Amino acid sequence: MYSLQGSKAIEFIHYFLKKRTNVYTGRFAPSPTGPLHAGSLVAALASWLDARAHQGHWLVRIEDVDTPRCVPGAAQAILAQLHTCGLLPDGLVLWQSQRSHAYDNALNHLVQAGWAYPCGCSRKDIEDAQAALGQRPARHSAAVYPGTCRDGLHGKPARAWRLNVQRVIDDLQLSVPLTWHDRWLGDQCQDVSQDVGDFVLKRADGLWAYQLAVVVDDAAQSVTHVVRGADLADNTARQVLLQHALGLPTPSYLHTPLVLGDNGEKLSKQNGAQALDLGDPLAALNEAAGVLGLPQVRTTPKQALQQWVASWPLPR
Ligand code: GLU
């Protein structure tokens, strides 16, 4: 399996892509927590089709920063599944586990600007502070950080790094709520300060947070169009905010419908979604295409992909 080593190769690709003006670059960025399931194939297929329909590049990035959740062999399994489905990347696969230096640089930039601060709170500290404020986190949603360490660690050792959301908004005079257009979901908005609070950039266990890594890498790979599952839609405002803070361009976003399991909840590796049965790749592709509102095609996977590219309805 190929992989990009070091920043030289990334800089070269960046330079090469930049030289071509207005090139669409899309990506599929799975976390290797298990093989692809029916839900993740929808996101992979949609991002591939959108890139092909707009004569763009399509890249794959393995988001293996959350090492405790990574399953050995899952990344290779995902790449093999994509290959079986005919979804082939146009460049080398980027592995987030090799990108610490880039995330370090980004965090340093934020610290220098006064926009990131160390946090010494444990989960219990945060819950206690919220309870004291009379706040109870909504079901399924992460608690809003009450800002305990924003003005100093109060003698506690530093554990994590957080973004000072309000300071970024104030210094850069960003509008509140933050608004963006999703090519599938329509106009969206979120008040990051109020709804999310100062989110984590580097975790207490020393691992890089998804929000920072995804923003740094979308820019490093010159991604112009993010197409991914709707479960990730509510991360978008945080990512747009970070792009502003890091002086990076904001790609356009499209969030695809989710595949629901029998219990009505989002199909995910966490709730035991089955790995795709790729004994019949055409059947798996047709199922994913159906979720995207595309017609069923009974030929070969290759011809099916061609037909869906030709009928892909979404403008750029
Ligand atoms: N790695 C994330 C996941 O597998 C997706 C990240 C993204 O597409 O922004 O859920």
Side-chain angles (χ1 to χ4, degrees):
M1 206 56 67
Y2 298 108
S3 70
L4 270 184
Q5 299 280 356
S7 58
K8 279 273 172 295
I10 292 162
E11 272 160 26
F12 174 75
I13 290 173
H14 199 70
Y15 170 79
F16 176 77
L17 289 174
K18 271 225 164 122
K19 282 194 54 120
R20 307 181 46 163
T21 50
N22 206 21
V23 174
Y24 175 121
T25 302
R27 54 51 160 196
F28 176 55
S31 304
T33 53
L36 292 182
H37 53 74
S40 38
L41 184 62
V42 173
L45 177 63
S47 67
W48 187 90
L49 290 174
D50 199 48
R52 286 287 171 273
H54 298 108
Q55 294 81 45
H57 297 277
W58 186 70
L59 302 174
V60 172
R61 179 169 74 233
I62 299 293
E63 301 213 320
D64 53 352
V65 273
D66 190 353
T67 41
R69 286 184 59 230
C70 292
V71 171
Q76 282 71 18
I78 291 171
L79 295 172
Q81 288 173 305
L82 291 172
H83 189 270
T84 304
C85 288
L87 307 177
L88 301 176
D90 295 315
L92 301 178
V93 173
L94 188 71
W95 298 72
Q96 288 196 323
S97 52
Q98 298 178 7
R99 300 270 303 144
S100 297
H101 63 285
Y103 310 145
D104 248 325
N105 287 344
L107 179 59
N108 279 339
H109 175 91
L110 297 170
V111 174
Q112 298 295 319
W115 292 336
Y117 63 87
C119 172
C121 294
S122 63
R123 198 174 294 241
K124 170 109 181 32
D125 292 336
I126 297 174
E127 280 167 12
D128 290 349
Q130 279 160 341
L133 292 168
Q135 290 177 1
R136 282 187 43 205
R139 201 167 151 257
H140 292 318
S141 74
V144 176
Y145 179 65
T148 318
C149 296
R150 201 177 287 140
D151 302 314
L153 283 162
H154 310 285
K156 289 182 286 190
R159 291 164 54 89
W161 285 86
R162 292 182 180 274
L163 189 76
N164 189 330
V165 170
Q166 195 55 49
R167 190 168 293 169
V168 173
I169 290 172
D170 291 345
D171 288 355
L172 296 178
Q173 299 182 356
L174 302 175
S175 61
V176 178
L178 203 141
T179 57
W180 73 98
H181 179 76
D182 186 288
R183 291 168 59 221
W184 192 292
L185 303 172
D187 290 335
Q188 308 287 307
C189 69
Q190 189 179 50
D191 183 334
V192 181
S193 194
Q194 191 176 306
D195 298 349
V196 185
D198 291 352
F199 56 90
V200 170
L201 303 167
K202 192 175 190 182
R203 299 170 13 175
D205 56 9
L207 297 177
W208 293 102
Y210 158 65
Q211 308 295 351
L212 183 78
V214 77
V215 162
V216 169
D217 287 343
D218 279 340
Q221 294 187 286
S222 298
V223 169
T224 59
H225 290 70
V226 171
V227 176
R228 59 188 180 190
D231 53 321
L232 294 162
D234 75 348
N235 293 284
T236 309
R238 269 170 278 179
Q239 293 170 15
V240 172
L241 193 69
L242 267 180
Q243 286 148 4
H244 283 295
L246 291 167
L248 301 173
T250 292
S252 92
Y253 287 93
L254 185 164
H255 289 90
T256 57
L258 299 180
V259 178
L260 301 182
D262 294 339
N263 59 359
E265 298 216 345
K266 181 199 95 149
L267 203 61
S268 74
K269 293 163 204 163
Q270 283 72 33
N271 68 19
Q274 297 289 309
L276 279 177
D277 173 8
L278 287 177
D280 185 354
L282 183 62
L285 283 166
N286 265 313
E287 198 183 319
V291 176
L292 296 168
L294 296 167
Q296 301 294 289
V297 179
R298 306 268 166 236
T299 51
T300 62
K302 197 169 171 193
Q303 284 175 349
L305 290 172
Q306 279 168 2
Q307 286 194 33
W308 291 324
V309 168
S311 61
W312 186 246
L314 295 169
R316 196 172 156 168

